[in-house]
């Protein structure tokens, strides 16, 4: 029984150790100039953040010549869709590609998670072809295998695999550009998401023009839902001056495009449209699993849903009104009232604090710590040299845990191993 307990403890310790390191796709590709354009657009579209925030993932990369057929002819919004179709939510290396059950499989991609892909448009067909080749194409019915596996670039086993393919994968409709962000009806989108009060406020206070003009350069809006304005502790907006009301509404937007992946990996405070010399008007972010929460220093608000994510505009609904400390800092308490001469109590009785429309601030939460090819394959089959090299230098790996955790895990592993073998 004790032996089984030790084995279970060992498994637990090893599972902790497995989480110590994570990947950074930008660093992985930075050492190879052939992927400079691809890498650059991963950063521009913020897909790098999304890739870095996920585990068990495969990135299909294109060299500069192959990628230019997309990057030189299409707007950023289309480039992002094409790139997101090249990020598989599963782990494939050289060995697995040649051992696909029944020779073909479908893999879900990041594009499928955007909600913009219908049917199998957001999935990729991977087929092990004769002669040692592997083909890739859209999983949409009738689609061809547009691309083939060229070589292995980098693997951090079962965490991330980077494979080069010969050409972009083109799914039906993926090259169609959405309308410019400035033409997007922000008010209608926010209202449809159950944020009618917020939509009405930004229109009546002239903020919708500010949002629309900023949309094409990068904008993220955090729209409180209608229930948020009815919550206990929300101040009476009618008692705010016009300038204060505008600042409060501006506080719910930032002049940056921040998809969920970027929010999950951000470590610095997020400045807002209200940020100026008179005050920070910013907030921090914490992450728990897939839950993202904004902290203002007065209150916290969880991102409830993604209303729109279309480069360079992102809109989210949040479950609380974001209250900046610059407007709603805690009022100082009055001094205690003098004790009446006849009062029997030895302690002075404090006079009740005057009523205030401003909510009491909550303490600000800190941001979250951030094979071989089967026999018979032709000599010109994709090389596995890069794959074998993964046990060497660990480019693109960064440490997430502290040194204390690393030392603790190592010591505990050694202790458990000795206990297991002595049992």
């Amino acid at each position: 029984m004790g032996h089984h307990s030790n084995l279970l403890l060992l498994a637990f310790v090893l599972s902790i150790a497995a989480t110590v390191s994570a990947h950074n796709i930008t660093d992985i590709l930075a050492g190879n100039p052939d992927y400079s354009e691809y890498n650059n657009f991963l950063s521009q579209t913020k897909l790098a953040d999304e890739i870095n925030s996920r585990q068990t993932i495969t990135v299909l990369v294109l060299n500069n010549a192959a990628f230019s057929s997309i990057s030189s002819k299409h707007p950023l919004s289309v480039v992002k869709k094409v790139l997101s179709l090249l990020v598989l939510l599963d782990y494939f290396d050289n060995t697995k590609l040649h051992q696909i059950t029944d020779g073909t499989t479908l893999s879900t991609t990041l594009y499928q998670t955007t909600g913009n892909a219908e049917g199998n448009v957001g999935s990729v067909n991977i087929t092990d072809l004769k002669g040692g080749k592997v083909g890739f194409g859209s999983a949409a019915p009738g689609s061809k295998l547009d691309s083939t596996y060229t070589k292995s670039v980098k693997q951090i086993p079962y965490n991330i695999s980077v494979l080069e393919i010969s050409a972009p994968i083109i799914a039906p409709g993926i090259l169609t550009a959405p309308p410019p962000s400035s033409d997007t009806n922000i008010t209608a989108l926010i209202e449809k998401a159950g944020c009618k009060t917020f939509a009405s406020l930004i229109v009546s206070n002239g903020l919708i023009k500010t949002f629309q003009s900023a949309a094409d350069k990068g904008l993220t809006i955090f729209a409180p839902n209608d229930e948020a304005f009815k919550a206990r502790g929300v101040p009476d907006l009618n008692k705010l001056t016009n300038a204060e009301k505008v600042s409060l509404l501006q506080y719910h937007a930032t002049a940056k495009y921040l998809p969920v992946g970027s929010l999950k990996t951000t470590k610095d405070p997020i400045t807002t449209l209200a940020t100026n010399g008179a005050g920070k008007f910013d907030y921090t972010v914490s992450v728990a699993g897939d839950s993202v929460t904004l902290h203002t220093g007065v209150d916290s608000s969880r991102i409830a849903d993604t209303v729109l994510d279309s480069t360079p505009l992102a809109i989210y609904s949040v479950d609380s009104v974001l209250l900046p400390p610059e407007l709603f800092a805690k009022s100082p308490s009055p001094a205690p009232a003098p004790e009446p001469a006849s009062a029997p109590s030895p302690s002075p009785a404090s006079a009740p604090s005057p009523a205030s429309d401003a909510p009491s601030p909550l303490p600000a939460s800190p941001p979250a710590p951030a094979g071989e090819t089967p026999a018979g394959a032709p000599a010109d089959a994709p090389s596995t040299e890069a794959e074998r090299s993964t046990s060497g230098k660990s480019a693109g790996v960064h440490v997430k845990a502290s040194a204390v955790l690393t030392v603790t895990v190592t010591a505990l592993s050694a202790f458990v191993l000795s206990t297991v073998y002595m049992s």
Side-chain angles (χ1 to χ4, degrees), residues 222-401:
F222 302 101
N225 56 39
D226 291 337
E227 292 303 313
F229 285 95
K230 301 174 185 176
R232 183 179 180 181
V234 174
D236 184 352
L237 301 187
N238 291 323
K239 293 185 178 181
L240 299 178
T241 65
N242 288 337
E244 290 173 337
K245 197 178 297 184
V246 168
S247 292
L248 175 61
L249 296 173
Q250 290 177 325
Y251 189 61
H252 287 77
T254 179
K256 302 174 185 177
Y257 168 60
L258 294 174
V260 172
S262 296
L263 289 171
K264 286 183 176 181
T265 57
T266 188
K267 294 179 176 61
D268 298 324
I270 298 174
T271 57
T272 68
L273 293 184
T275 302
N276 55 44
K280 292 181 179 180
F281 283 95
D282 58 12
Y283 26 78
T284 57
V285 180
S286 67
V287 181
D290 287 331
S291 179
V292 178
T293 303
L294 306 177
H295 305 276
T296 71
V298 175
D299 66 348
S300 298
S301 185
R302 183 184 62 87
I303 292 181
D305 196 16
T306 300
V307 179
L308 178 71
D309 180 358
S310 179
T311 310
L313 174 62
I315 304 175
Y316 305 98
S317 64
V318 294
D319 59 12
S320 299
V321 177
L322 296 168
L323 303 176
E326 289 80 2
L327 297 180
F328 304 103
K330 183 178 180 180
S331 299
S333 299
E339 180 185 359
S342 59
S345 174
S347 302
S350 299
S353 299
S356 173
D357 290 319
S360 298
L362 298 174
S365 302
E372 293 182 2
T373 303
D380 61 348
S383 170
T384 61
E385 189 63 33
E387 191 166 338
R388 289 195 297 270
S389 70
T390 58
S391 60
K393 64 180 183 178
S394 55
V397 181
H398 60 86
V399 177
K400 292 198 299 185

Side-chain angles (χ1 to χ4, degrees), residues 112 117-123 139-141:
Q112 187 70 38
E118 298 181 2
N120 285 334
V121 170
S123 295

Side-chain angles (χ1 to χ4, degrees), residues 65-110:
F67 187 59
S68 65
S69 64
I70 297 298
S71 61
S72 64
K73 299 177 181 178
H74 300 280
L76 189 62
S77 56
V78 170
V79 174
K80 182 179 181 180
K81 290 194 294 181
V82 173
L83 286 173
S84 62
L85 191 64
L86 300 180
V87 181
L88 314 180
L89 305 185
D90 197 357
Y91 182 87
F92 290 90
D93 56 17
N94 183 75
T95 303
K96 187 174 178 179
L97 287 178
H98 290 92
Q99 294 178 351
I100 297 173
T101 304
D102 298 326
T104 186
T105 188
L106 301 184
S107 180
T108 304
T109 71
L110 273 185

Side-chain angles (χ1 to χ4, degrees), residues 1 5 9 28 58 71 91 95 124 152 160 188 200 247 249 276 281 404:
M1 183 69 179
S5 298
L9 180 57
I28 290 173
T58 300
S71 61
Y91 182 87
T95 303
V124 165
S152 172
I160 184 172
S200 176
S247 292
L249 296 173
N276 55 44
F281 283 95
V404 175

